[in-house]
Amino acid sequence: MDLVILLAIQVLYAIASLALISVGLAIIFGMMRVINLAHGEFLMLGGYAAIVATSRGVNIWISMLVVAPVVVGIIGVIVERTIIRFLYGRMIDTMLATWGLSLFLVGLTTAIFGNTTVGISAPLGSFQIGAYRTSGYTLFVIGVAAVVLFGILVVLRGTRLGLIARGTMQNANMAAALGVNPPRVYAVTFGIGAALSGLAGAVLAPVSGVFPTIGVAYVAKSFITVIGGGAAILSGTVSASTLFGTINQLATFATTPVFGEVALLAAAIVLIRLLPQGITGRFFRRGL
Amino acid sequence: MTDRTLNYLGLALVGIVGAAFLVLTPRFAELDVVLELTIYMIMAILALSLALIWGYGGILCFGQAAFFGLGAYTYAIAMFNIGESTMPLLLAIALPAVFAALLGYFMFYGRISDVYLGVITLTVTLILFNSVNSTAGPEFRIGAARLGGFNGIPGIPPLNIPGNKAWVVDLEGMFYLATGALLATYFGLRWLLASRFGRIIVGIRENERRAELLGYDPRAYKLATFTIGGALAGFAGCLFANWGAFVSPTIFGLAQSAQIIIWVIVGGRGTLVGPIVGCIGIQWLTTALGANQPSGSDWWTKLLANAPFILGIILIAFVLLVPKGLVPTLGDWGQALLRARTRRPATGLKPKQAEEG
């Protein structure tokens, strides 16, 4: 019984971390049809922002939950204004340019921070489930993911900003005719996507440590999640991370973490073969 | 001059330059230069494999490094188990080809669009990297070969003349082999692209729907192109494993995958000479950056010697400013110059860039 609870928490954690690392990418992809290959580096920058802020004496919660998203969000807006905006509608060129950006950022952070892993210890200690102990931080990550997803739902469904964003997503020309400024919506959307990536990177930094090439570890998983989920931001992210997170964690539990990842990939390839438009291309079509 | 004569002139030029390079280099260059040039030749074959499937087939493959790495690892593992290089060489071509065919079947018959294709191939590369990287323990072995995880596989035996284990290819022989293979690959691809098959894959790249309406099955043609590209990359991987007598998982790494794409972008999609030029230029630049490791610890001097940083800037700059790549852009300039000279009346029809090179 205890083992079942522990396993359930582990599965929930796998789902939550997948959803967290993917949601920023999903927003940028779902709304702007831009594949941001520098996504992993946005997560990495979030991790560095949190660690640098914490080492300068900022409270760890503030540096994780406020400093990291703000810093990476600003970087995101700068990137959108200097590179991405010239490439809308040229999907492959966007991929290539953001890949260049990814290399650029890896090189830059290597030169500044060196090629070593830095970390902050996870706060919140651990607690007991029967014969097992598990970290309280695990539950915190699950909580953050839930809050982020719920927050996106509320913003998209309930606010004027969300309405404008959804309208622009559906038809940018019509939105422009109605007085919305699509370039500004794009810049803000890209910034928000980047900020959420920064938040995810910072929240996961105590678990995985931070080093300049850590983006590589994130980027594959988040892409597979977003593509498996399809274009709908929320239902896509949630459904795909639930599916892949469960498969990943159960395979990890049965074998090793590496085979967990391989199982995730294999599942993703089969899924895309069966549902080329992703899960939300066939199911939950009316979802966000 | 007609396009046809120009075409033959170009072919002859490449042949003469290649043959001269092949014969003269080992005679006049130092051994370390020959060694360096050999790796450029091997990488140029890899560049050509992507030039075929991306530049002509229109298949954006971010994972060409996967086939390259698979070829290198297959050769290494087979070599330790078999000891005579004929079979390992063939396996190093066949296994990546089979892998490409399986992956390609999933992607093309699933009708996955370009962008998704790029992401999937990239992911496959990363997963291969992760998998191989974690095989450091002694329990990970295939026959007599230990996989070695992040330590890689050292001491890979070199190729030998088929049937004679004692007669192995030495450093200079490797240069001849790699250069010869590059020339053969170039002319082979020229022939392939001039054939019916080549015309059809370019047609599919230009307009898949139209090609399909004409009765061709784009999925089958794309699969064939992808498989040939995979085999070629695997062959380059085999030569690479020979060159350094060493492979490690970085061969599957993101940096490696990125480089191949950058060679093709910089040189020019839709040409064969372009990717070779791009490859050799970028390789030379990377080596030069690596050789000039600064003694100072200023972060900006470190930055200028940092290969990903410089490559990233090059990639962004080319995508934004020179999207066609060097060789086609220079070709355009040359043609404009020629036209200005001869003042030929404009026909309104531009010659097709895609089928030259």
Side-chain angles (χ1 to χ4, degrees), chain A residues 29 35 91-93 96 99-100 103-104 107 111 216 223 227 258 261-262 265 272-273 276, chain B residues 62 105-106 109-110 112 114-116 119 123 126 130 134 261 265 303 306 308-309 312 315 319:
Chain A
F29 174 68
I35 293 260
M91 215 169 188
I92 288 173
D93 286 345
L96 295 169
W99 199 353
L103 294 172
F104 172 86
V216 176
F223 270 111
I227 281 175
V258 173
E261 285 206 356
V262 173
L265 173 86
I272 291 172
R273 175 73 179 84
Chain B
F62 278 76
Y105 169 75
F106 266 100
Y109 282 77
I112 286 164
D114 272 1
V115 177
Y116 289 70
V119 172
T123 313
L126 294 177
N130 283 339
S134 66
I261 297 266
I265 287 260
L303 206 55
N306 188 312
F309 180 77
L315 182 50
V319 171

mmCIF file of all heavy atoms in Angstrom, chain A residues 29 35 91-93 96 99-100 103-104 107 111 216 223 227 258 261-262 265 272-273 276, chain B residues 62 105-106 109-110 112 114-116 119 123 126 130 134 261 265 303 306 308-309 312 315 319:
data_model
loop_
_atom_site.group_PDB
_atom_site.id
_atom_site.type_symbol
_atom_site.label_atom_id
_atom_site.label_comp_id
_atom_site.label_asym_id
_atom_site.label_seq_id
_atom_site.Cartn_x
_atom_site.Cartn_y
_atom_site.Cartn_z
ATOM 1 N N PHE A 29 4.095 27.605 -29.259
ATOM 2 C CA PHE A 29 3.744 26.822 -30.445
ATOM 3 C C PHE A 29 2.256 26.933 -30.755
ATOM 4 O O PHE A 29 1.863 27.186 -31.890
ATOM 5 C CB PHE A 29 4.147 25.357 -30.222
ATOM 6 C CG PHE A 29 3.702 24.444 -31.328
ATOM 7 C CD1 PHE A 29 4.259 24.548 -32.587
ATOM 8 C CD2 PHE A 29 2.728 23.492 -31.108
ATOM 9 C CE1 PHE A 29 3.849 23.714 -33.604
ATOM 10 C CE2 PHE A 29 2.315 22.662 -32.118
ATOM 11 C CZ PHE A 29 2.875 22.773 -33.376
ATOM 12 N N ILE A 35 8.187 27.065 -33.534
ATOM 13 C CA ILE A 35 8.883 26.015 -32.798
ATOM 14 C C ILE A 35 10.148 26.634 -32.240
ATOM 15 O O ILE A 35 11.033 27.027 -32.988
ATOM 16 C CB ILE A 35 9.224 24.839 -33.728
ATOM 17 C CG1 ILE A 35 7.949 24.157 -34.187
ATOM 18 C CG2 ILE A 35 10.151 23.877 -33.037
ATOM 19 C CD1 ILE A 35 7.592 22.920 -33.471
ATOM 20 N N MET A 91 8.308 28.553 -40.872
ATOM 21 C CA MET A 91 8.464 27.710 -39.693
ATOM 22 C C MET A 91 9.861 27.084 -39.594
ATOM 23 O O MET A 91 10.470 27.053 -38.528
ATOM 24 C CB MET A 91 7.420 26.607 -39.771
ATOM 25 C CG MET A 91 6.887 26.229 -38.422
ATOM 26 S SD MET A 91 5.477 25.181 -38.700
ATOM 27 C CE MET A 91 4.864 25.064 -37.047
ATOM 28 N N ILE A 92 10.360 26.590 -40.721
ATOM 29 C CA ILE A 92 11.651 25.902 -40.674
ATOM 30 C C ILE A 92 12.767 26.893 -40.365
ATOM 31 O O ILE A 92 13.669 26.609 -39.578
ATOM 32 C CB ILE A 92 11.882 25.159 -41.998
ATOM 33 C CG1 ILE A 92 10.942 23.949 -42.027
ATOM 34 C CG2 ILE A 92 13.312 24.719 -42.143
ATOM 35 C CD1 ILE A 92 10.925 23.213 -43.309
ATOM 36 N N ASP A 93 12.678 28.092 -40.968
ATOM 37 C CA ASP A 93 13.697 29.089 -40.673
ATOM 38 C C ASP A 93 13.658 29.496 -39.199
ATOM 39 O O ASP A 93 14.696 29.758 -38.598
ATOM 40 C CB ASP A 93 13.510 30.320 -41.570
ATOM 41 C CG ASP A 93 13.949 30.032 -42.985
ATOM 42 O OD1 ASP A 93 14.641 29.014 -43.175
ATOM 43 O OD2 ASP A 93 13.601 30.800 -43.889
ATOM 44 N N LEU A 96 15.511 26.926 -37.297
ATOM 45 C CA LEU A 96 16.959 27.034 -37.465
ATOM 46 C C LEU A 96 17.504 28.221 -36.684
ATOM 47 O O LEU A 96 18.526 28.116 -36.010
ATOM 48 C CB LEU A 96 17.299 27.172 -38.950
ATOM 49 C CG LEU A 96 16.937 25.950 -39.785
ATOM 50 C CD1 LEU A 96 17.049 26.270 -41.258
ATOM 51 C CD2 LEU A 96 17.829 24.781 -39.431
ATOM 52 N N TRP A 99 17.523 27.519 -33.120
ATOM 53 C CA TRP A 99 18.605 26.578 -32.795
ATOM 54 C C TRP A 99 19.937 27.328 -32.675
ATOM 55 O O TRP A 99 20.745 27.086 -31.775
ATOM 56 C CB TRP A 99 18.702 25.470 -33.843
ATOM 57 C CG TRP A 99 19.438 24.290 -33.336
ATOM 58 C CD1 TRP A 99 20.105 24.194 -32.140
ATOM 59 C CD2 TRP A 99 19.596 23.036 -33.972
ATOM 60 N NE1 TRP A 99 20.647 22.948 -32.010
ATOM 61 C CE2 TRP A 99 20.355 22.231 -33.119
ATOM 62 C CE3 TRP A 99 19.155 22.523 -35.190
ATOM 63 C CZ2 TRP A 99 20.693 20.921 -33.441
ATOM 64 C CZ3 TRP A 99 19.494 21.218 -35.502
ATOM 65 C CH2 TRP A 99 20.256 20.432 -34.631
ATOM 66 N N GLY A 100 20.139 28.273 -33.601
ATOM 67 C CA GLY A 100 21.329 29.125 -33.498
ATOM 68 C C GLY A 100 21.344 29.857 -32.172
ATOM 69 O O GLY A 100 22.375 29.929 -31.492
ATOM 70 N N LEU A 103 22.477 27.552 -29.413
ATOM 71 C CA LEU A 103 23.935 27.393 -29.361
ATOM 72 C C LEU A 103 24.588 28.645 -28.773
ATOM 73 O O LEU A 103 25.482 28.565 -27.926
ATOM 74 C CB LEU A 103 24.488 27.145 -30.763
ATOM 75 C CG LEU A 103 24.102 25.844 -31.438
ATOM 76 C CD1 LEU A 103 24.559 25.857 -32.879
ATOM 77 C CD2 LEU A 103 24.704 24.673 -30.702
ATOM 78 N N PHE A 104 24.108 29.787 -29.229
ATOM 79 C CA PHE A 104 24.616 31.078 -28.761
ATOM 80 C C PHE A 104 24.502 31.172 -27.233
ATOM 81 O O PHE A 104 25.461 31.531 -26.545
ATOM 82 C CB PHE A 104 23.794 32.169 -29.451
ATOM 83 C CG PHE A 104 24.032 33.561 -28.956
ATOM 84 C CD1 PHE A 104 25.069 34.324 -29.473
ATOM 85 C CD2 PHE A 104 23.211 34.112 -27.992
ATOM 86 C CE1 PHE A 104 25.281 35.614 -29.026
ATOM 87 C CE2 PHE A 104 23.415 35.407 -27.546
ATOM 88 C CZ PHE A 104 24.457 36.153 -28.060
ATOM 89 N N GLY A 107 26.897 28.803 -25.439
ATOM 90 C CA GLY A 107 28.253 29.344 -25.460
ATOM 91 C C GLY A 107 28.417 30.487 -24.481
ATOM 92 O O GLY A 107 29.391 30.560 -23.732
ATOM 93 N N ALA A 111 30.783 30.561 -21.095
ATOM 94 C CA ALA A 111 31.853 31.532 -20.890
ATOM 95 C C ALA A 111 31.681 32.268 -19.562
ATOM 96 O O ALA A 111 32.653 32.582 -18.881
ATOM 97 C CB ALA A 111 31.879 32.521 -22.050
ATOM 98 N N VAL A 216 19.516 20.550 -23.239
ATOM 99 C CA VAL A 216 19.414 19.358 -24.081
ATOM 100 C C VAL A 216 18.538 18.299 -23.407
ATOM 101 O O VAL A 216 17.726 17.638 -24.052
ATOM 102 C CB VAL A 216 20.814 18.784 -24.356
ATOM 103 C CG1 VAL A 216 20.716 17.508 -25.149
ATOM 104 C CG2 VAL A 216 21.656 19.800 -25.074
ATOM 105 N N PHE A 223 9.481 18.792 -26.308
ATOM 106 C CA PHE A 223 8.981 18.767 -27.675
ATOM 107 C C PHE A 223 8.041 17.611 -27.922
ATOM 108 O O PHE A 223 6.987 17.762 -28.523
ATOM 109 C CB PHE A 223 10.133 18.682 -28.659
ATOM 110 C CG PHE A 223 10.576 20.023 -29.026
ATOM 111 C CD1 PHE A 223 11.788 20.503 -28.623
ATOM 112 C CD2 PHE A 223 9.734 20.855 -29.725
ATOM 113 C CE1 PHE A 223 12.175 21.770 -28.916
ATOM 114 C CE2 PHE A 223 10.114 22.125 -30.028
ATOM 115 C CZ PHE A 223 11.349 22.589 -29.621
ATOM 116 N N ILE A 227 4.236 18.069 -29.074
ATOM 117 C CA ILE A 227 3.805 17.530 -30.356
ATOM 118 C C ILE A 227 2.827 16.386 -30.167
ATOM 119 O O ILE A 227 1.839 16.270 -30.893
ATOM 120 C CB ILE A 227 5.037 17.133 -31.168
ATOM 121 C CG1 ILE A 227 5.585 18.428 -31.749
ATOM 122 C CG2 ILE A 227 4.703 16.144 -32.248
ATOM 123 C CD1 ILE A 227 6.834 18.269 -32.470
ATOM 124 N N VAL A 258 17.119 5.537 -17.859
ATOM 125 C CA VAL A 258 17.409 5.649 -19.292
ATOM 126 C C VAL A 258 16.334 4.941 -20.102
ATOM 127 O O VAL A 258 15.814 5.470 -21.081
ATOM 128 C CB VAL A 258 18.790 5.058 -19.605
ATOM 129 C CG1 VAL A 258 18.999 5.031 -21.103
ATOM 130 C CG2 VAL A 258 19.861 5.865 -18.936
ATOM 131 N N GLU A 261 13.231 6.868 -20.398
ATOM 132 C CA GLU A 261 13.225 7.868 -21.485
ATOM 133 C C GLU A 261 13.010 7.205 -22.833
ATOM 134 O O GLU A 261 12.313 7.730 -23.685
ATOM 135 C CB GLU A 261 14.543 8.639 -21.488
ATOM 136 C CG GLU A 261 14.624 9.644 -20.382
ATOM 137 C CD GLU A 261 15.555 10.794 -20.710
ATOM 138 O OE1 GLU A 261 16.186 10.756 -21.778
ATOM 139 O OE2 GLU A 261 15.616 11.712 -19.905
ATOM 140 N N VAL A 262 13.655 6.064 -23.028
ATOM 141 C CA VAL A 262 13.488 5.367 -24.300
ATOM 142 C C VAL A 262 12.031 4.962 -24.489
ATOM 143 O O VAL A 262 11.465 5.111 -25.583
ATOM 144 C CB VAL A 262 14.423 4.144 -24.375
ATOM 145 C CG1 VAL A 262 14.132 3.311 -25.609
ATOM 146 C CG2 VAL A 262 15.875 4.586 -24.359
ATOM 147 N N LEU A 265 10.036 7.948 -25.580
ATOM 148 C CA LEU A 265 10.224 8.263 -26.991
ATOM 149 C C LEU A 265 9.471 7.283 -27.882
ATOM 150 O O LEU A 265 8.780 7.677 -28.819
ATOM 151 C CB LEU A 265 11.705 8.222 -27.353
ATOM 152 C CG LEU A 265 11.892 8.376 -28.861
ATOM 153 C CD1 LEU A 265 11.935 9.825 -29.244
ATOM 154 C CD2 LEU A 265 13.080 7.631 -29.363
ATOM 155 N N ILE A 272 2.473 9.522 -32.516
ATOM 156 C CA ILE A 272 2.436 10.455 -33.649
ATOM 157 C C ILE A 272 2.092 9.716 -34.937
ATOM 158 O O ILE A 272 1.425 10.248 -35.823
ATOM 159 C CB ILE A 272 3.770 11.212 -33.747
ATOM 160 C CG1 ILE A 272 3.884 12.157 -32.560
ATOM 161 C CG2 ILE A 272 3.861 11.996 -35.033
ATOM 162 C CD1 ILE A 272 5.207 12.828 -32.429
ATOM 163 N N ARG A 273 2.543 8.444 -35.020
ATOM 164 C CA ARG A 273 2.177 7.637 -36.184
ATOM 165 C C ARG A 273 0.670 7.443 -36.251
ATOM 166 O O ARG A 273 0.069 7.495 -37.317
ATOM 167 C CB ARG A 273 2.895 6.290 -36.097
ATOM 168 C CG ARG A 273 2.533 5.297 -37.175
ATOM 169 C CD ARG A 273 3.141 5.705 -38.503
ATOM 170 N NE ARG A 273 2.819 4.749 -39.545
ATOM 171 C CZ ARG A 273 1.689 4.754 -40.246
ATOM 172 N NH1 ARG A 273 0.780 5.664 -39.978
ATOM 173 N NH2 ARG A 273 1.477 3.863 -41.181
ATOM 174 N N PRO A 276 -1.318 11.874 -36.187
ATOM 175 C CA PRO A 276 -0.325 12.843 -36.663
ATOM 176 C C PRO A 276 -0.583 14.266 -36.178
ATOM 177 O O PRO A 276 0.341 15.061 -36.120
ATOM 178 C CB PRO A 276 -0.453 12.764 -38.187
ATOM 179 C CG PRO A 276 -1.106 11.469 -38.454
ATOM 180 C CD PRO A 276 -1.975 11.174 -37.288
ATOM 181 N N PHE B 62 17.013 16.820 -38.531
ATOM 182 C CA PHE B 62 17.926 17.365 -37.540
ATOM 183 C C PHE B 62 18.786 16.252 -36.948
ATOM 184 O O PHE B 62 19.625 16.517 -36.115
ATOM 185 C CB PHE B 62 17.159 18.046 -36.415
ATOM 186 C CG PHE B 62 16.724 19.434 -36.731
ATOM 187 C CD1 PHE B 62 15.652 19.658 -37.553
ATOM 188 C CD2 PHE B 62 17.378 20.521 -36.197
ATOM 189 C CE1 PHE B 62 15.241 20.939 -37.847
ATOM 190 C CE2 PHE B 62 16.977 21.803 -36.493
ATOM 191 C CZ PHE B 62 15.905 22.012 -37.317
ATOM 192 N N TYR B 105 9.810 5.171 -42.305
ATOM 193 C CA TYR B 105 8.494 4.581 -42.517
ATOM 194 C C TYR B 105 7.485 5.201 -41.569
ATOM 195 O O TYR B 105 6.400 5.621 -41.979
ATOM 196 C CB TYR B 105 8.534 3.061 -42.325
ATOM 197 C CG TYR B 105 7.149 2.467 -42.282
ATOM 198 C CD1 TYR B 105 6.408 2.329 -43.452
ATOM 199 C CD2 TYR B 105 6.547 2.122 -41.081
ATOM 200 C CE1 TYR B 105 5.114 1.848 -43.420
ATOM 201 C CE2 TYR B 105 5.259 1.636 -41.037
ATOM 202 C CZ TYR B 105 4.549 1.506 -42.214
ATOM 203 O OH TYR B 105 3.261 1.042 -42.176
ATOM 204 N N PHE B 106 7.865 5.295 -40.283
ATOM 205 C CA PHE B 106 6.956 5.884 -39.303
ATOM 206 C C PHE B 106 6.605 7.319 -39.664
ATOM 207 O O PHE B 106 5.458 7.737 -39.580
ATOM 208 C CB PHE B 106 7.598 5.860 -37.914
ATOM 209 C CG PHE B 106 7.204 4.664 -37.122
ATOM 210 C CD1 PHE B 106 8.050 3.582 -37.014
ATOM 211 C CD2 PHE B 106 5.971 4.613 -36.480
ATOM 212 C CE1 PHE B 106 7.685 2.476 -36.293
ATOM 213 C CE2 PHE B 106 5.601 3.503 -35.766
ATOM 214 C CZ PHE B 106 6.452 2.424 -35.665
ATOM 215 N N TYR B 109 5.017 7.592 -43.739
ATOM 216 C CA TYR B 109 3.720 6.950 -43.899
ATOM 217 C C TYR B 109 2.727 7.436 -42.854
ATOM 218 O O TYR B 109 1.532 7.223 -42.972
ATOM 219 C CB TYR B 109 3.870 5.426 -43.899
ATOM 220 C CG TYR B 109 4.383 4.931 -45.229
ATOM 221 C CD1 TYR B 109 5.723 5.049 -45.557
ATOM 222 C CD2 TYR B 109 3.509 4.427 -46.181
ATOM 223 C CE1 TYR B 109 6.194 4.651 -46.795
ATOM 224 C CE2 TYR B 109 3.968 4.019 -47.422
ATOM 225 C CZ TYR B 109 5.314 4.135 -47.720
ATOM 226 O OH TYR B 109 5.769 3.747 -48.946
ATOM 227 N N GLY B 110 3.229 8.102 -41.804
ATOM 228 C CA GLY B 110 2.323 8.772 -40.877
ATOM 229 C C GLY B 110 1.969 10.164 -41.363
ATOM 230 O O GLY B 110 1.254 10.888 -40.700
ATOM 231 N N ILE B 112 3.730 12.887 -41.508
ATOM 232 C CA ILE B 112 4.121 13.895 -40.538
ATOM 233 C C ILE B 112 4.720 15.078 -41.278
ATOM 234 O O ILE B 112 5.512 14.910 -42.207
ATOM 235 C CB ILE B 112 5.107 13.285 -39.536
ATOM 236 C CG1 ILE B 112 4.323 12.368 -38.602
ATOM 237 C CG2 ILE B 112 5.819 14.350 -38.747
ATOM 238 C CD1 ILE B 112 5.173 11.433 -37.844
ATOM 239 N N ASP B 114 6.833 18.633 -42.131
ATOM 240 C CA ASP B 114 8.238 19.009 -42.025
ATOM 241 C C ASP B 114 8.727 19.279 -40.624
ATOM 242 O O ASP B 114 9.747 18.778 -40.190
ATOM 243 C CB ASP B 114 8.449 20.302 -42.816
ATOM 244 C CG ASP B 114 8.763 20.005 -44.243
ATOM 245 O OD1 ASP B 114 8.792 18.818 -44.577
ATOM 246 O OD2 ASP B 114 8.961 20.959 -44.999
ATOM 247 N N VAL B 115 7.966 20.131 -39.941
ATOM 248 C CA VAL B 115 8.446 20.625 -38.665
ATOM 249 C C VAL B 115 8.494 19.502 -37.638
ATOM 250 O O VAL B 115 9.467 19.337 -36.913
ATOM 251 C CB VAL B 115 7.529 21.758 -38.194
ATOM 252 C CG1 VAL B 115 7.947 22.234 -36.842
ATOM 253 C CG2 VAL B 115 7.566 22.877 -39.197
ATOM 254 N N TYR B 116 7.427 18.695 -37.637
ATOM 255 C CA TYR B 116 7.374 17.575 -36.716
ATOM 256 C C TYR B 116 8.514 16.604 -37.015
ATOM 257 O O TYR B 116 9.115 16.019 -36.125
ATOM 258 C CB TYR B 116 6.039 16.857 -36.847
ATOM 259 C CG TYR B 116 4.884 17.644 -36.290
ATOM 260 C CD1 TYR B 116 4.441 18.786 -36.918
ATOM 261 C CD2 TYR B 116 4.248 17.238 -35.126
ATOM 262 C CE1 TYR B 116 3.397 19.514 -36.405
ATOM 263 C CE2 TYR B 116 3.199 17.953 -34.606
ATOM 264 C CZ TYR B 116 2.769 19.102 -35.258
ATOM 265 O OH TYR B 116 1.740 19.821 -34.741
ATOM 266 N N VAL B 119 11.652 17.754 -35.450
ATOM 267 C CA VAL B 119 11.656 17.538 -34.010
ATOM 268 C C VAL B 119 11.860 16.059 -33.679
ATOM 269 O O VAL B 119 12.623 15.710 -32.776
ATOM 270 C CB VAL B 119 10.349 18.068 -33.401
ATOM 271 C CG1 VAL B 119 10.251 17.671 -31.944
ATOM 272 C CG2 VAL B 119 10.280 19.565 -33.546
ATOM 273 N N THR B 123 14.911 14.435 -31.617
ATOM 274 C CA THR B 123 14.666 13.697 -30.385
ATOM 275 C C THR B 123 15.320 12.324 -30.435
ATOM 276 O O THR B 123 15.910 11.876 -29.449
ATOM 277 C CB THR B 123 13.153 13.536 -30.176
ATOM 278 O OG1 THR B 123 12.549 14.793 -30.393
ATOM 279 C CG2 THR B 123 12.859 13.073 -28.775
ATOM 280 N N LEU B 126 18.887 12.690 -29.603
ATOM 281 C CA LEU B 126 19.135 12.947 -28.189
ATOM 282 C C LEU B 126 18.940 11.689 -27.354
ATOM 283 O O LEU B 126 19.697 11.421 -26.422
ATOM 284 C CB LEU B 126 18.200 14.055 -27.684
ATOM 285 C CG LEU B 126 18.458 15.417 -28.303
ATOM 286 C CD1 LEU B 126 17.462 16.433 -27.805
ATOM 287 C CD2 LEU B 126 19.870 15.869 -27.986
ATOM 288 N N ASN B 130 21.594 9.868 -24.950
ATOM 289 C CA ASN B 130 21.349 9.499 -23.550
ATOM 290 C C ASN B 130 21.567 8.013 -23.325
ATOM 291 O O ASN B 130 22.184 7.615 -22.337
ATOM 292 C CB ASN B 130 19.920 9.865 -23.145
ATOM 293 C CG ASN B 130 19.775 11.341 -22.884
ATOM 294 O OD1 ASN B 130 20.763 12.016 -22.633
ATOM 295 N ND2 ASN B 130 18.563 11.846 -22.962
ATOM 296 N N SER B 134 24.845 6.265 -21.101
ATOM 297 C CA SER B 134 24.645 5.639 -19.796
ATOM 298 C C SER B 134 25.076 4.178 -19.794
ATOM 299 O O SER B 134 24.670 3.417 -18.934
ATOM 300 C CB SER B 134 23.179 5.747 -19.411
ATOM 301 O OG SER B 134 22.415 4.979 -20.298
ATOM 302 N N ILE B 261 23.682 20.678 -39.970
ATOM 303 C CA ILE B 261 22.684 21.611 -40.500
ATOM 304 C C ILE B 261 23.356 22.921 -40.920
ATOM 305 O O ILE B 261 23.079 23.466 -41.995
ATOM 306 C CB ILE B 261 21.625 21.921 -39.419
ATOM 307 C CG1 ILE B 261 20.881 20.658 -39.034
ATOM 308 C CG2 ILE B 261 20.706 23.025 -39.878
ATOM 309 C CD1 ILE B 261 19.614 20.429 -39.770
ATOM 310 N N ILE B 265 23.249 24.913 -44.478
ATOM 311 C CA ILE B 265 22.678 26.266 -44.541
ATOM 312 C C ILE B 265 23.694 27.250 -45.089
ATOM 313 O O ILE B 265 23.401 28.053 -45.977
ATOM 314 C CB ILE B 265 22.305 26.738 -43.129
ATOM 315 C CG1 ILE B 265 21.082 26.024 -42.653
ATOM 316 C CG2 ILE B 265 22.088 28.235 -43.114
ATOM 317 C CD1 ILE B 265 19.852 26.831 -42.788
ATOM 318 N N LEU B 303 34.781 33.724 -24.662
ATOM 319 C CA LEU B 303 33.611 33.736 -25.537
ATOM 320 C C LEU B 303 34.024 33.635 -27.004
ATOM 321 O O LEU B 303 33.431 32.890 -27.777
ATOM 322 C CB LEU B 303 32.863 35.046 -25.302
ATOM 323 C CG LEU B 303 31.383 35.059 -25.590
ATOM 324 C CD1 LEU B 303 30.694 33.963 -24.807
ATOM 325 C CD2 LEU B 303 30.807 36.400 -25.226
ATOM 326 N N ASN B 306 34.797 30.250 -28.135
ATOM 327 C CA ASN B 306 33.766 29.280 -27.812
ATOM 328 C C ASN B 306 33.013 28.880 -29.082
ATOM 329 O O ASN B 306 32.293 29.687 -29.679
ATOM 330 C CB ASN B 306 32.829 29.931 -26.788
ATOM 331 C CG ASN B 306 31.834 28.952 -26.251
ATOM 332 O OD1 ASN B 306 31.208 28.233 -27.004
ATOM 333 N ND2 ASN B 306 31.699 28.918 -24.946
ATOM 334 N N PRO B 308 30.328 26.840 -29.874
ATOM 335 C CA PRO B 308 28.872 26.974 -29.995
ATOM 336 C C PRO B 308 28.429 28.429 -30.136
ATOM 337 O O PRO B 308 27.537 28.730 -30.932
ATOM 338 C CB PRO B 308 28.350 26.396 -28.674
ATOM 339 C CG PRO B 308 29.408 25.541 -28.157
ATOM 340 C CD PRO B 308 30.703 26.072 -28.668
ATOM 341 N N PHE B 309 29.082 29.313 -29.387
ATOM 342 C CA PHE B 309 28.721 30.732 -29.440
ATOM 343 C C PHE B 309 28.869 31.279 -30.855
ATOM 344 O O PHE B 309 27.941 31.872 -31.417
ATOM 345 C CB PHE B 309 29.622 31.486 -28.460
ATOM 346 C CG PHE B 309 29.381 32.962 -28.403
ATOM 347 C CD1 PHE B 309 28.291 33.469 -27.714
ATOM 348 C CD2 PHE B 309 30.243 33.839 -29.024
ATOM 349 C CE1 PHE B 309 28.074 34.820 -27.661
ATOM 350 C CE2 PHE B 309 30.029 35.197 -28.968
ATOM 351 C CZ PHE B 309 28.937 35.688 -28.287
ATOM 352 N N GLY B 312 26.482 29.575 -33.305
ATOM 353 C CA GLY B 312 25.130 30.092 -33.105
ATOM 354 C C GLY B 312 24.935 31.397 -33.843
ATOM 355 O O GLY B 312 23.944 31.588 -34.552
ATOM 356 N N LEU B 315 24.765 30.755 -37.567
ATOM 357 C CA LEU B 315 23.490 30.167 -37.978
ATOM 358 C C LEU B 315 22.391 31.229 -38.020
ATOM 359 O O LEU B 315 21.659 31.344 -39.008
ATOM 360 C CB LEU B 315 23.114 29.034 -37.017
ATOM 361 C CG LEU B 315 21.835 28.271 -37.303
ATOM 362 C CD1 LEU B 315 21.774 27.817 -38.736
ATOM 363 C CD2 LEU B 315 21.731 27.063 -36.384
ATOM 364 N N VAL B 319 20.454 32.506 -41.461
ATOM 365 C CA VAL B 319 19.005 32.350 -41.620
ATOM 366 C C VAL B 319 18.359 33.708 -41.891
ATOM 367 O O VAL B 319 17.482 33.834 -42.738
ATOM 368 C CB VAL B 319 18.389 31.702 -40.363
ATOM 369 C CG1 VAL B 319 16.877 31.745 -40.445
ATOM 370 C CG2 VAL B 319 18.853 30.272 -40.229
#
